[in-house]
Amino acid sequence: MHILGISGSLRKASLNTAALRACSEVLPQQVTMSIFDLSPIPIYNEDLRAQGLPEPVQQLREQIRAADALLIATPEYNFSIPGVLKNAIDWASRPPEQPFDGKPIAILGATPGGLGTSRAQYHLRQVFVYLNGHLLNRPEVFISGAPNKFDADGRLTDAATAENLGKMLAALVDWSKRLQG
C-alpha cells in the first residue's frame, strides 16, 4: 500500500511537512509513503488550463490517482485552508476524471496555536465531501503547540504525538482496505 502525503505549507521549516515526515517513520508494515511538493503548482487560471494542464499539475494528478490513500497536513490561515493547498486541490480536481473521487483521505494539522488547525481541517473536509473523497473520521490529529513537539531540525520529539500519528496511519490503512472491499 502506498500513501501520498501533501503538505499545505511551502515553508522550508514547515511544521506540517515535518509532521508528514514523522508519519513516514511510524508507518504500518508493508506501507510506503511519499510527499508531493506543491511549490511548482501555478496559481489556478482557467485560461492556462485551457492550454492544457501544466506538468506539475499532471504529476500531482497522476500521483493522487496512483496512491492507495492520501494524507494531508494542513496549516490554518485565517480560520481556514491555506491558499496553496486549496489552489492545488482546485487544479487537481478539474475534469476529466478528477482523482479524489473515491480516494481514502486522512487529514492532520500542526500549529503553534491551541486548536491544532481544527477549523482548517473542517473546511478541508467540506471540500472533499464535494469531491467524493472518502474521509477518515477518526482518529483526528490536531497537533497544537507544535514548535514544542519538534526539534530544530524538524524531527518529532513528542512520543504522544508519534503514537497518535501511528494510530491515524493504521486507521487509514484499515479504512483503505475496507473501501477496496
Side-chain angles (χ1 to χ4, degrees):
M1 174 174 280
H2 181 72
I3 297 171
L4 178 64
I6 299 172
S7 173
S9 175
L10 302 180
R11 288 184 56 232
K12 183 178 177 182
S14 165
L15 295 167
N16 285 280
T17 304
L20 287 177
R21 286 193 307 268
C23 286
S24 68
E25 296 174 10
V26 294
L27 289 170
Q29 289 185 353
Q30 300 179 337
V31 176
T32 60
M33 184 174 144
S34 60
I35 300 172
F36 190 89
D37 177 13
L38 296 181
S39 62
I41 304 286
I43 298 296
Y44 185 81
N45 179 330
E46 185 63 27
D47 293 336
L48 184 58
R49 185 179 87 87
Q51 299 171 22
L53 293 176
E55 183 61 28
V57 173
Q58 289 179 21
Q59 291 172 0
L60 175 60
R61 286 172 55 99
E62 289 167 9
Q63 288 188 35
I64 292 168
R65 193 172 288 111
D68 296 297
L70 302 179
L71 178 61
I72 299 176
T74 183
E76 180 172 300
Y77 299 154
N78 300 317
F79 285 17
S80 194
I81 309 163
V84 67
L85 180 57
K86 181 66 166 68
N87 179 65
I89 293 167
D90 289 345
W91 267 115
S93 66
R94 296 299 95 189
E97 301 173 18
Q98 66 92 356
F100 298 111
D101 188 22
K103 188 67 65 174
I105 302 170
I107 300 170
L108 65 93
T111 182
L115 296 178
T117 74
S118 59
R119 294 178 191 104
Q121 288 190 44
Y122 292 135
H123 286 177
L124 195 52
R125 286 177 178 277
Q126 290 173 321
V127 171
F128 285 120
V129 165
Y130 175 76
L131 296 172
N132 198 39
H134 293 305
L135 293 156
L136 179 69
N137 289 323
R138 59 181 172 209
E140 294 179 303
V141 175
F142 306 106
I143 307 171
S144 59
N148 299 322
K149 297 176 180 174
F150 293 87
D151 68 16
D153 295 319
R155 287 186 299 266
L156 182 63
T157 58
D158 184 70
T161 299
E163 183 179 343
N164 288 337
L165 293 174
K167 287 177 183 177
M168 173 182 261
L169 289 162
L172 179 60
V173 168
D174 181 57
W175 179 234
S176 300
K177 289 177 180 177
R178 288 176 35 201
L179 289 171
Q180 291 171 358

